[in-house]
């Protein structure tokens, strides 16, 4: 406690707060009392109350301890005995796509091809002339029969509206004939490196495009206008606040996205902290300015780059050592950024030399292996440093790579929701042996690998409680593995929450600023309706967010808990 008071005094001097002669220390702006506080701070695991001045936590302790910080202007939130956690920090999102998706046609829960087509047709009718029908996140594995769609399904319903709707993992999309025609994709168009034009028996495009082949169409889709982008970000911020997500790490944003974040920061409307990692193909820009990892302020940082090693398991483009069990001639695809490999190596070397953080999407076991090799080469070339290089997704590990992963201090940025989603069918594609090292969160932790948790929103839902549920139960969405798919890979609730707060904070070089409820740190907190540490884990996904606090301000109020 003594240490806190010293810390608070320093803080007081810095902030030049007014202090009355009768007071021994500055008064709190906000006190949250009667909470079950899980601090995430090993030196003080549990507490009842938190005091906040401006955007920082100044005291954590019993109700009585924290009461000593009360002044005449102090606001109070009575937590009613509910669980208070550090705010969730989602280490991998696509924030603008997520915000835009909230307005796009919703296809993910369609259970039949006809329903998929009907929704697209309906949306096309209400879409102004010249605009596209986009997004969708369809998932043909939920249909009977589970066949990927073709343009014939939607053409009759969309004669005048270009359509390019993406599969939920974002590595495949379906164009209608109008969109394909506008893009000039015909039977004669070659597959680009790192991409596939799906074709029928006669060689004609079916409308489905995989990975780099999607760019044929994406490059003719008009970019979001500034107004559309601003709208998408505002939707995303409100969505994050409602779910207790106080920080996000935004993977491959466009620069125009960062400009919108910056605009909202200036107007005081940025209510989620953002660390943005633009594409590694644009490494020259940040390197030229001399920006290094985690450059910026508490609400907006840049200084990382995001690259792609391979595709996804769902579209059979994740890069494996051995072929897929259900596609004996296919073992996946390296991304176009990896062809040739020297292209990726040069960009990574440049990024590392500039002090930028590397975040690389790698899903298949060989894709992950190659990235670990490149990271090894970088460390050799530039010497040991606190680089916190990351691999995003880390879905399918080769047995030989766990130790190397840990020794290189690479961060595994993982999304447990994918495990309960892909777990429905992954074993058919990769077989039992490889599936046993799929989403192998426990094995990674046991080897000493640091985890950062996230969702990959808009690929998966942003709701952190669904992700906690997924990591703790590994119960696949189809209900077929109620005791967990590869249950030996389950995490405990504490491990999951720690990886989602401290783990993610560490992954963005912010573990001294956030990730635990500790005096001196940013006051980013979430109040939950249930104690997720003690309830039946199957109920975690039903838990509600009562309040979300970012920098000492309530940004979401679920209406429970008294404030005065
Ligand atoms: Zn992603």
């Amino acid at each position: 406690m003594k240490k806190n008071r010293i810390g608070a005094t320093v803080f007081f001097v810095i902030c030049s707060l007014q202090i009355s002669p009768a007071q021994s220390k500055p008064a709190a702006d906000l006190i949250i009392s009667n909470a079950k506080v899980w601090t995430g701070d090993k030196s003080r695991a549990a507490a009842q109350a938190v005091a906040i001045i401006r955007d920082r936590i100044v005291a954590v302790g019993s109700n009585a301890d924290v009461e000593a910080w009360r002044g005449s202007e102090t606001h109070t939130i009575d937590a009613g005995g509910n669980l208070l956690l550090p705010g969730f920090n989602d280490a991998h999102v696509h924030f603008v796509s997520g915000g835009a998706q909230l307005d796009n046609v919703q296809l993910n829960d369609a259970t039949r091809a006809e329903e998929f087509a009907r929704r697209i047709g309906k949306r096309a009718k209400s879409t102004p002339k010249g605009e596209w029908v986009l997004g969708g996140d369809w998932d043909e594995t939920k249909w009977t029969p589970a066949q990927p769609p073709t343009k014939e399904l939607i053409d009759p319903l969309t004669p005048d509206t270009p359509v390019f709707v993406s599969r939920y993992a974002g590595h495949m999309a379906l164009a209608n004939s109008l969109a394909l025609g506008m893009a000039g994709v015909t039977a004669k168009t070659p597959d680009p490196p790192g991409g596939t034009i799906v074709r029928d028996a006669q060689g004609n495009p079916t409308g489905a495009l995989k990975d780099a082949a999607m760019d044929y169409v994406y490059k003719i889709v008009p970019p979001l206008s500034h107004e559309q982008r601003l709208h998408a970000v505002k939707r995303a911020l409100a969505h994050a606040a409602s779910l207790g997500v106080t920080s996000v790490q935004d993977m491959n944003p466009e620069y125009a996205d960062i400009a919108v974040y910056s605009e909202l920061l200036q107007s005081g409307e940025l209510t989620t902290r953002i660390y943005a990692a633009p594409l590694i193909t644009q490494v020259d820009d940040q390197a030229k300015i001399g920006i290094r990892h985690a450059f910026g302020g508490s609400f907006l940082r840049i200084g990382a780059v995001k690259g792609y090693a391979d595709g996804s398991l769902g579209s059979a483009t994740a890069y494996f050592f051995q072929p897929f069990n259900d596609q004996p001639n296919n073992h996946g695809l390296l991304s176009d950024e990896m062809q040739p490999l020297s292209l990726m190596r040069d960009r990574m070397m440049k990024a590392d030399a500039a002090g930028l953080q590397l975040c690389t999407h790698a899903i298949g076991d060989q894709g992950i292996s190659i990235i670990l090799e490149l990271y090894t080469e970088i460390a050799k070339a530039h010497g040991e440093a606190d680089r916190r290089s990351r691999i995003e997704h880390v879905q399918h590990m080769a047995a030989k790579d766990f130790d190397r992963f840990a020794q290189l201090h690479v961060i595994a940025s993982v999304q447990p929701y994918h495990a309960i989603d892909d777990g429905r069918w992954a074993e058919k594609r990769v077989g039992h042996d490889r599936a046993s090292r799929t989403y192998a969160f426990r094995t990674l932790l046991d080897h000493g690998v640091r985890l950062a948790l996230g969702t990959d929103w808009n690929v998966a839902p942003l709701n952190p409680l669904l992700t906690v549920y997924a990591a703790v139960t590994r119960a696949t969405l189809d209900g077929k593995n109620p005791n967990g798919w590869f249950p030996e890979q389950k995490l405990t609730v504490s491990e999951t929450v720690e990886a989602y707060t401290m783990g993610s904070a560490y992954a963005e070089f912010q573990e001294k600023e956030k990730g635990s409820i500790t005096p001196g740190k940013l006051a980013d907190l979430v109040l939950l309706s249930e104690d997720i540490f003690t309830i039946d884990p199957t109920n975690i996904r039903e838990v509600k967010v009562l309040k979300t606090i970012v920098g000492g301000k309530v940004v979401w109020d679920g209406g429970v808990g008294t404030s005065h």
Side-chain angles (χ1 to χ4, degrees):
M1 185 48 73
K2 195 173 173 199
K3 196 168 153 237
N4 301 347
R5 292 189 183 180
I6 292 164
T9 307
V10 171
F11 186 73
F12 157 69
V13 171
I14 294 167
C15 296
S16 320
L17 291 172
Q18 292 303 311
I19 183 167
S20 74
Q23 282 176 308
S24 61
K25 55 178 171 287
D29 294 316
L30 175 65
I31 286 178
I32 304 168
S33 59
N34 297 323
K36 219 187 263 182
V37 184
W38 183 91
T39 64
D41 183 338
K42 301 244 163 19
S43 67
R44 190 189 294 97
Q48 277 180 302
V50 177
I52 295 162
I53 296 182
R54 296 194 181 173
D55 65 343
R56 301 269 166 179
I57 296 163
V58 291
V60 182
S62 67
N63 283 336
D65 291 341
V66 170
E67 205 48 38
W69 290 82
R70 182 175 301 283
S72 55
E73 306 286 294
T74 303
H75 293 270
T76 307
I77 293 174
D78 181 341
N82 288 302
L83 180 67
L84 188 72
L85 297 179
F88 290 103
N89 182 339
D90 192 315
H92 186 123
V93 299
H94 302 283
F95 208 55
V96 171
S97 313
Q101 181 205 36
L102 296 171
D103 288 330
N104 278 339
V105 61
Q106 306 294 329
L107 302 170
N108 192 265
D109 60 351
T111 52
R112 292 163 53 236
E114 297 73 31
E115 177 62 14
F116 162 89
R118 191 192 64 77
R119 290 187 195 182
I120 292 171
K122 188 168 167 227
R123 177 54 69 103
K125 267 205 184 118
S126 64
T127 298
K129 200 167 168 47
E131 289 188 20
W132 288 59
V133 174
L134 296 166
D137 301 305
W138 48 272
D139 181 0
E140 85 288 356
T141 66
K142 294 176 181 164
W143 308 348
T144 323
Q147 264 163 15
T150 64
K151 59 183 172 25
E152 284 71 26
L153 194 59
I154 54 173
D155 276 345
L157 302 165
T158 59
D160 306 315
T161 309
V163 175
F164 197 47
V165 285
S166 47
R167 190 173 186 277
Y168 77 100
H171 292 269
M172 193 188 330
L174 179 73
N176 65 353
S177 288
L178 182 60
L180 276 187
M182 289 166 72
V185 174
T186 66
K188 294 198 191 98
T189 310
D191 286 355
T196 307
I197 299 171
V198 180
R199 299 166 201 266
D200 63 18
Q202 285 73 48
N204 295 309
T206 68
L209 304 174
K210 292 185 180 185
D211 288 293
M214 297 190 296
D215 292 342
Y216 286 132
V217 176
Y218 276 135
K219 69 181 179 213
I220 61 154
V221 174
L224 288 180
S225 68
H226 182 73
E227 281 310 308
Q228 286 171 322
R229 206 176 296 272
L230 195 61
H231 178 73
V233 174
K234 285 183 177 175
R235 294 275 323 240
L237 291 169
H239 192 55
S242 75
L243 295 169
V245 176
T246 55
S247 290
V248 295
Q249 300 174 38
D250 191 25
M251 295 293 125
N252 42 279
E254 294 177 33
Y255 290 159
D257 300 344
I258 301 174
V260 166
Y261 304 152
S262 170
E263 185 181 329
L264 291 171
L265 171 64
Q266 194 174 10
S267 61
E269 292 171 88
L270 204 59
T271 50
T272 311
R273 304 185 193 279
I274 302 176
Y275 183 37
L279 281 172
I280 195 168
T281 54
Q282 301 166 304
V283 59
D284 286 344
D285 298 336
Q286 293 190 81
K288 207 186 303 168
I289 307 167
I291 282 164
R292 302 175 68 84
H293 63 247
F295 173 86
S298 72
F299 269 100
L300 181 57
R301 294 180 189 279
I302 52 177
V305 287
K306 161 82 185 306
Y308 282 88
D310 60 357
S312 79
L313 187 68
S315 52
T317 51
Y319 195 64
F320 280 86
F321 287 107
Q322 301 297 326
F324 298 110
N325 291 41
D326 57 350
Q327 296 182 21
N329 296 317
N330 179 15
H331 68 113
L333 273 178
L334 284 176
S335 80
D336 49 352
E337 296 170 20
M338 301 275 279
Q339 303 189 34
L341 196 59
S342 59
L343 187 62
M344 182 62 100
R345 182 188 295 112
D346 291 349
R347 283 175 176 153
M348 282 185 171
M349 289 283 182
K350 187 178 278 179
D352 188 69
L356 297 166
Q357 185 184 17
L358 297 169
C359 310
T360 313
H361 164 121
I363 288 186
D365 54 14
Q366 192 173 4
I368 294 169
S369 245
I370 295 173
I371 296 306
L372 291 175
E373 267 147 43
L374 290 176
Y375 285 175
T376 306
E377 287 183 43
I378 289 167
K380 269 197 193 124
H382 298 162
E384 287 301 316
D386 183 14
R387 354 183 112 74
R388 306 194 192 181
S389 301
R390 304 162 44 147
I391 293 185
E392 305 298 318
H393 310 307
V394 198
Q395 268 176 228
H396 310 277
M397 287 286 291
K400 68 181 172 84
D401 279 334
F402 286 102
D403 281 329
R404 182 158 67 138
F405 208 110
Q407 281 154 14
L408 283 166
H409 305 294
V410 173
I411 293 165
S413 168
V414 298
Q415 299 83 33
Y417 183 86
H418 291 336
I420 62 168
D421 194 350
D422 296 6
R424 292 174 291 136
W425 47 264
E427 203 168 335
K428 250 182 254 149
R429 177 143 294 166
V430 299
H432 185 81
D433 176 56
R434 287 187 289 190
S436 72
R437 293 184 303 279
T438 290
Y439 303 108
F441 309 137
R442 164 65 48 204
T443 312
L444 285 163
L445 268 192
D446 287 350
H447 279 79
V449 174
R450 279 181 189 266
L451 301 181
L453 257 62
T455 58
D456 206 6
W457 187 52
N458 58 322
V459 177
L462 184 64
N463 183 353
L465 291 157
L466 265 180
T467 290
V468 175
Y469 164 84
V472 172
T473 68
R474 293 180 72 98
T476 51
L477 296 175
D478 57 9
K480 290 190 180 153
N481 298 276
N483 299 317
W485 182 65
F486 293 92
E488 62 278 11
Q489 296 294 346
K490 286 180 190 175
L491 299 180
T492 66
V493 178
S494 301
E495 287 166 342
T496 307
V497 174
E498 193 187 345
Y500 224 138
T501 52
M502 271 308 265
S504 297
Y506 182 84
E508 56 159 336
F509 293 89
Q510 295 304 305
E511 75 280 5
K512 295 199 174 83
E513 288 287 292
K514 52 191 178 186
S516 65
I517 303 180
T518 303
K521 285 193 173 181
L522 292 165
D524 297 353
L525 306 162
V526 56
L527 188 67
L528 299 180
S529 64
E530 307 279 339
D531 181 353
I532 57 174
F533 297 98
T534 57
I535 61 172
D536 181 338
T538 55
N539 295 330
I540 292 175
R541 60 182 161 171
E542 319 296 344
V543 171
K544 297 282 175 285
V545 172
L546 302 181
K547 286 193 200 302
T548 306
I549 295 169
V550 176
K553 290 205 177 81
V554 176
V555 297
W556 162 260
D557 195 334
V560 185
T562 46
S563 302
H564 42 87

